Amino acid sequence: MRVINIASGSKGNCTIIATNNATIMLDCGLGIRELISRLSEAGINAEDIDAIVITHEHSDHIKGLNSFTRKFKKPVYAHKQVWPYIEKYASDINNSCERYFESLPFYVKDVLITPFAVSHDSKNCQGYTFECKKAKFSYATDLGFVSGENMAHLMGSKLVFIESNHDEKMLIDNPLYPPVLKARIRGNSGHLSNKQCAEAVVSLAGSGTRYFALCHLSEHNNTPELAFGVVANALTNSGFQVEKNVFLRLTYQHKIGNNFYLKED
Ligand SMILES: [Zn+2]
Ligand SMILES: [Zn+2]
């Protein structure tokens, strides 16, 4: 299984999960031109995408969905309660492309996709696990906290993409953010701080996850160095050796990320 981030952050999100049989696009939050250009940079032909899976209806996750599905007519999977909101922004999605799910796992070709609800200020925001034989990748961004149930889904993953949105102090000190917005971001339905991310990463590393990518970094309330440093320090303080037995990568708003290859056998 190959996993590559195409964009991550409040200006657009997209990740590709590919096996020998299936190519899945997780979120479609870039304009179509930029999206196609980055996909091609990653060696992915938009025509080859088998399905689009959506986390939630915030524009940084579905901004490109209308034009992409108009052009490529791919099936779009989203939680039943998210669909009415998606349709508001992506009214051109052909009815034949709509795929509902509630809470049960579903397959796209050889990939088993398990949705799980995360706490965010949108209707039924979803995290996902993607499994093909022994390869398991999990994705959790746009969440206010990592619940016990969320952790149970993430456990056993070889690779986890997890939100490391903000540095608490930078957010609190940011003069451009009104108090109500700060409260929203810091709240239980907001976004994960670097510290919250680090706590989850340490627990997951303890359960055997070896590869992590930090996602959805705020451009105003975080820096890549801070996010990486907080998580790397937490791992080191818990006895892990970063770059030896646990591997940490960043994702980016303005460029594609690293390739990850997970063994399926
Ligand atoms: Zn987002
Ligand atoms: Zn969101």
Side-chain angles (χ1 to χ4, degrees):
M1 178 186 282
R2 175 192 180 203
V3 181
I4 182 166
N5 181 257
I6 301 299
S8 186
S10 61
K11 293 197 178 98
N13 293 275
C14 178
T15 295
I16 296 288
I17 300 99
T19 63
N20 283 338
N21 296 307
T23 303
I24 298 160
M25 182 156 80
L26 174 59
D27 282 339
C28 190
L30 288 178
I32 188 159
R33 254 188 233 161
E34 180 67 14
L35 180 55
I36 290 173
S37 143
R38 289 201 203 182
L39 287 174
S40 106
E41 196 187 332
I44 294 150
N45 183 348
E47 291 282 3
D48 294 340
I49 288 169
D50 295 294
I52 303 166
V53 178
I54 299 297
T55 57
H56 65 303
E57 77 279 9
H58 285 162
S59 74
D60 53 321
H61 299 262
I62 63 163
K63 198 162 41 198
L65 193 57
N66 216 23
S67 43
F68 192 87
T69 49
R70 199 187 307 134
K71 190 167 164 68
F72 296 106
K73 311 230 170 354
K74 301 296 184 183
V76 181
Y77 291 77
H79 192 280
K80 196 171 182 188
Q81 290 180 5
V82 177
W83 264 110
Y85 298 90
I86 290 183
E87 280 166 343
K88 263 195 213 166
Y89 299 102
S91 51
D92 288 354
I93 294 182
N94 191 302
N95 283 349
S96 65
C97 293
E98 295 186 9
R99 302 283 188 280
Y100 297 94
F101 63 81
E102 288 189 70
S103 52
L104 295 176
F106 56 93
Y107 273 98
V108 170
K109 295 196 169 171
D110 59 350
V111 181
L112 175 65
I113 304 175
T114 304
F116 56 92
V118 295
S119 175
H120 189 51
D121 55 355
S122 73
K123 198 77 187 168
N124 237 320
C125 186
Q126 302 291 304
Y128 291 98
T129 66
F130 297 82
E131 292 170 83
C132 180
K133 295 180 226 166
K134 287 183 180 161
K136 178 175 176 182
F137 161 62
S138 298
Y139 185 93
T141 76
D142 298 70
L143 67 171
F145 70 103
V146 184
S147 71
E149 202 176 314
N150 295 162
M151 279 305 277
H153 281 283
L154 300 176
M155 293 277 178
S157 304
K158 300 269 193 316
L159 166 68
V160 174
F161 276 23
I162 184 164
E163 172 165 58
S164 196
N165 178 258
H166 58 277
D167 172 75
E168 279 276 337
K169 187 167 173 359
M170 275 183 82
L171 176 61
I172 291 166
D173 293 345
N174 189 335
L176 300 175
Y177 276 46
V180 62
L181 181 55
K182 292 182 186 182
R184 183 224 146 202
I185 294 169
R186 296 178 66 201
N188 274 349
S189 305
H191 290 278
L192 285 190
S193 68
N194 294 338
K195 192 164 166 273
Q196 288 174 302
C197 172
E199 283 165 11
V201 166
V202 167
S203 310
L204 289 166
S207 79
T209 303
R210 287 293 163 258
Y211 295 88
F212 296 91
L214 308 182
C215 296
H216 218 299
L217 271 66
S218 167
E219 292 187 301
H220 304 289
N221 303 308
N222 210 353
T223 67
E225 295 74 21
L226 262 176
F228 191 96
V230 168
V231 178
N233 281 342
L235 283 164
T236 307
N237 292 340
S238 302
F240 297 99
Q241 293 180 294
V242 177
E243 296 306 306
K244 284 213 169 128
N245 57 17
V246 177
F247 300 86
L248 203 53
R249 295 289 178 267
L250 290 161
T251 57
Y252 308 96
Q253 184 69 87
H254 300 288
K255 61 177 185 180
I256 63 174
N258 295 91
N259 272 299
F260 295 92
Y261 294 98
L262 309 183
K263 274 192 195 154
E264 293 171 14
D265 297 314

